Amino acid sequence: MNKIGDNIKLLRKAKGVTQEELAEAVHVSFQAVSKWENGGAPDIDILPGLATYFGVSIDELMGFKLNAMTNKERFIRFMADTGVLKLGSYELHGYRSEYYVDSEHFITNAQYAKLGEHFADCIRESGVSFDCIVGMAYHGISLSVATALALYNKYGITVNYCHDRKVPDSRGREFCGHTPEEGERLLIVDDLINSGKTLIGRIERMMENVNVTIAGVVVIVERYETDMKEHHPNGADILREKYGARVLSVVNGDDISRAIRAGIV
């Protein structure tokens, strides 16, 4: 059995890319990918690039515990490995949580490339329609750039892009890049949703100057857990109800709690 070739084929199909697209991403020929999937094996120096592209470890690529984790669990493991996901006892809006998410620990271009792809996949799979991507300062700026690039590089989608300014510049401009126009549908990119209060405040300030539609909000983590109901409302639900927006996340609080209980992190 060609374990690594089978795994490459499995991962490629799960990612929704062709052999040609994989070949281009890891800088080999289409024939090389075809050979891997039909009994061959990649050179050892190709393995790190393949593992990074698929978001798995080299051990997983070679067949060790590849099927032990779901895509969400692998992403949660990725957050833990980068120091973004911290385990312990944390107070969150009156709720005692067993983990904390600190997105400032995403620090390398490779990590942001992976995040951009996860966001692009969420957006593409949701089918949400929008005219402009808006990054929310400050954490959302780099995330939204990574998302915009991934949407174009992976799916060929071209849209307007901007990020907001917390303080207008000397000309009174509140956006860098495209300035949202009347009637446009905006897709907001940020790192986390907790209570939603901060994000709603930023959206309301933005909408004071232009009549736009909030088509969607996409984040790394929708922080809400089912057990939080007694402590505060779900910020994502408030965004849905207030703006009629789609709320997309790579993972949510319940996903992380389940991964902790399962020993994934």
Side-chain angles (χ1 to χ4, degrees), residues 71-101:
N71 287 335
K72 286 188 176 183
E73 288 169 342
R74 277 195 286 271
F75 184 81
I76 291 166
R77 178 72 256 176
F78 165 62
M79 289 199 298
D81 290 343
T82 55
V84 170
L85 178 64
K86 304 177 183 297
L87 304 186
S89 181
Y90 300 93
E91 182 76 19
L92 183 67
H93 301 289
Y95 175 78
R96 181 61 60 178
S97 177
E98 58 190 334
Y99 68 89
Y100 180 72
V101 178

Side-chain angles (χ1 to χ4, degrees), residues 124-192:
R124 180 72 170 179
E125 289 168 8
S126 75
V128 62
S129 297
F130 59 98
D131 303 304
C132 180
I133 292 175
V134 182
M136 303 306 284
Y138 289 105
H139 292 105
I141 295 176
S142 52
L143 292 169
S144 59
V145 171
T147 302
L149 291 173
L151 281 171
Y152 178 75
N153 289 331
K154 185 170 184 179
Y155 294 113
I157 296 173
T158 300
V159 294
N160 288 322
Y161 168 82
C162 67
H163 67 259
D164 73 334
R165 303 173 187 257
K166 285 194 171 183
V167 178
D169 69 1
S170 59
R171 301 182 186 179
R173 294 177 296 186
E174 297 193 0
F175 294 93
C176 289
H178 172 75
T179 298
E181 299 175 356
E182 194 81 8
E184 281 192 332
R185 302 163 298 173
L186 307 185
L187 181 67
I188 306 293
V189 176
D190 209 352
D191 59 342
L192 309 171

